[in-house]
Amino acid sequence: MDSLRTRAVLAVGLLACACAFAQGSSTSSSPASGANYELRRGSWLPGGYAGLNLGRPSYRLDCGPGGCDQPSLSGNVYVGSMFTPHFGAELGLLSMGDLERAGGDTRAEGVNFSLVGRAQVGAGFGVFGRVGTTWGRTRVDAAPGAGIATGRASGWGPAYGLGVDWAFSSQWSAVLDWQRHRFDFVGDDNGWVRSTSIGLKYRF
């Protein structure tokens, strides 16, 4: 878990450096149009973008005695490339926070790979969807005698999501995103976690 969090911190740092580098190297390029989402083609990653989302997660697991206290925060940092104005791919790191249940806590985090489709619905506004897979790692702790299996697990699971974005400048967009990921948990290999989040996206 610690190594994944360390990689997430490094990814955020690389995102900031990439944004600064892209902004500096693209000053001579013509600005992209937020209306038709034509991304800059002179960058080191054609059609490239990076983003950070923060949101509220919800674990769909048996809460056991005493119920559940859902996490208050999830995070997702990602990079992607639009092969065309309508289709692309993303790679992201995500953390779904800690679910408090049965006298302990349950955590899920992982790496997501997705294909992305986007359609323009207005000046600077668009809707998008993604479908892919998440390699996740989970940890379950619980009080003795709570009837909840404890331990660590990892594995691949399906993932999908929907969202809307608003390009308020030639490079920046605001994002509203809904995602659902399936994780393997000890005692439950079909545990879904969903998250509704808001964030910012930077187009290179």
Side-chain angles (χ1 to χ4, degrees), residues 8-187:
V9 172
L10 290 175
V12 173
L14 288 173
L15 168 60
C17 292
C19 291
F21 174 79
Q23 189 172 29
S25 63
S26 62
T27 53
S28 61
S29 303
S30 59
S33 169
N36 60 19
Y37 211 73
E38 291 178 354
L39 306 184
R40 293 175 183 267
R41 300 295 173 181
S43 67
W44 58 274
L45 180 64
Y49 61 90
L52 173 65
N53 291 354
L54 298 176
R56 184 71 181 266
S58 177
Y59 285 70
R60 314 303 291 176
L61 296 172
D62 177 18
C63 289
C68 295
D69 186 5
Q70 295 286 348
S72 58
L73 185 65
S74 62
N76 179 27
V77 60
Y78 57 92
V79 295
S81 177
M82 296 296 288
F83 313 135
T84 76
H86 301 292
F87 296 101
E90 284 183 5
L91 168 65
L93 292 174
L94 55 94
S95 174
M96 293 302 193
D98 292 344
L99 169 71
E100 296 181 8
R101 63 170 182 158
D105 58 66
T106 298
R107 167 172 293 193
E109 52 192 7
V111 181
N112 173 257
F113 306 87
S114 291
L115 297 177
V116 180
R118 183 183 184 276
Q120 195 75 28
V121 296
F125 288 91
V127 295
F128 61 86
R130 64 167 63 86
V131 61
T133 183
T134 296
W135 184 83
R137 297 196 299 185
T138 64
R139 185 195 69 204
V140 178
D141 293 326
I148 300 293
T150 61
R152 300 173 183 265
S154 62
W156 294 93
Y160 58 91
L162 297 169
V164 295
D165 58 29
W166 170 48
F168 56 86
S169 79
S170 63
Q171 291 176 280
W172 290 97
S173 296
V175 179
L176 174 63
D177 199 353
W178 179 87
Q179 300 184 33
R180 200 165 185 241
H181 304 264
R182 199 194 75 184
F183 293 90
D184 289 341
F185 295 90
V186 173

